[in-house]
Amino acid sequence: GAVVSQHPSWVICKSGTSVKIECRSLDFQATTMFWYRQFPKQSLMLMATSNEGSKATYEQGVEKDKFLINHASLTLSTLTVTSAHPEDSSFYICSARDLEGGSYNEQFFGPGTRLTVL
Amino acid sequence: QQPVQSPQAVILREGEDAVINCSSSKALYSVHWYRQKHGEAPVFLMILLKGGEQKGHDKISASFNEKKQQSSLYLTASQLSYSGTYFCGTEMGNTPLVFGKGTRLSVIA
């Protein structure tokens, strides 16, 4: 199956700082990537849909000025958590779909990034 | 709209079977099943697209009813490695997956 990588796998930062998380599709082009957040013992909650070359679409309740998403190429999307606070501590997971040729495929998930804000 | 998963949790002894259900109030385009181990990302199990579809590999299979509103995941002769949280993800049509709250499965020796 297709491979999606994330970097870093974990990060600890001080309150008020910004953190950037990268999501890459390694062996396919992803016109659309998705960012999820998962708190302990909870489900994955969609934060935003990232479209290559255009603005991301944010889910209701997700602050677009706080969670900056950039999808500059067909293989890379970044999520920047700005002015992070302890309540932003969570497991952030990206996913991507390979829609080449119009065929439908499963959504491939990255390994996740665990963010801890002190 | 978040799908409803049941049960919330189940404990099995090795070799026992389990069924996890996922339902929606509206007809779905597809349903995806994932298993997540603690601290790891979800791992794709299978996708169902057609009403009445049944598919599987090894001892894990799934079905999708004719109305495309309910799917079930079947785990037979469970193994210790099956432990984890199972999520169904549903979509209405080329939309992001919306995940259920998950079913925590514990397989004990």
Side-chain angles (χ1 to χ4, degrees):
Chain A
V3 178
V4 176
S5 71
Q6 270 185 252
H7 177 80
S9 55
W10 59 271
V11 58
I12 301 173
C13 69
K14 292 183 178 180
S15 186
T17 60
S18 295
V19 174
K20 180 185 283 188
I21 302 170
E22 293 186 349
C23 176
R24 293 180 186 273
S25 56
L26 298 185
D27 50 3
F28 67 100
Q29 293 183 330
T31 55
T32 304
M33 290 184 173
F34 307 96
W35 287 96
Y36 291 84
R37 178 169 54 183
Q38 186 179 34
F39 292 106
K41 297 186 179 181
Q42 295 188 22
S43 185
L44 292 85
M45 299 304 295
L46 180 68
M47 298 176 66
T49 301
S50 169
N51 298 296
E52 186 267 336
S54 64
K55 291 183 179 180
T57 302
Y58 290 82
E59 295 299 302
Q60 193 172 12
V62 178
E63 300 175 59
K64 62 180 181 181
D65 294 330
K66 181 172 180 63
F67 299 99
L68 302 179
I69 292 173
N70 184 283
H71 194 155
S73 77
L74 289 173
T75 60
L76 173 65
S77 176
T78 61
L79 168 67
T80 302
V81 183
T82 62
S83 186
H85 292 285
E87 56 265 31
D88 297 324
S89 298
S90 188
F91 193 45
Y92 292 85
I93 311 174
C94 72
S95 68
R97 274 181 172 156
D98 180 5
L99 295 176
E100 188 176 47
S103 62
Y104 183 91
N105 288 299
E106 63 263 29
Q107 199 164 313
F108 299 100
F109 282 85
T113 297
R114 188 164 299 282
L115 170 64
T116 302
V117 185
L118 303 177
Chain B
Q1 191 171 17
Q2 188 175 38
V4 177
Q5 269 188 252
S6 64
Q8 290 185 335
V10 59
I11 300 175
L12 298 175
R13 292 194 180 275
E14 273 188 295
E16 292 182 336
D17 303 337
V19 180
I20 300 171
N21 299 304
C22 176
S23 64
S24 169
S25 59
K26 297 182 179 180
L28 301 165
Y29 179 81
S30 68
V31 62
H32 306 224
W33 285 98
Y34 290 83
R35 176 172 60 210
Q36 186 179 32
K37 302 276 188 178
H38 180 68
E40 300 178 9
V43 173
F44 174 79
L45 295 175
M46 65 187 77
I47 179 176
L48 298 109
L49 290 162
K50 300 177 182 177
E53 183 177 8
Q54 294 188 25
K55 69 192 309 183
H57 46 82
D58 199 12
K59 296 174 183 176
I60 300 176
S61 60
S63 63
F64 200 11
N65 74 345
E66 289 288 348
K67 290 186 176 181
K68 301 184 72 174
Q69 288 181 262
Q70 183 166 342
S71 176
S72 295
L73 183 71
Y74 305 94
L75 305 168
T76 59
S78 59
Q79 306 167 15
L80 294 175
S81 61
Y82 286 4
S83 294
T85 301
Y86 290 79
F87 292 99
C88 67
T90 59
E91 63 166 341
M92 306 302 289
N94 199 24
T95 55
L97 288 178
V98 178
F99 288 90
K101 292 187 176 181
T103 296
R104 187 182 295 263
L105 176 69
S106 299
V107 181
I108 58 176

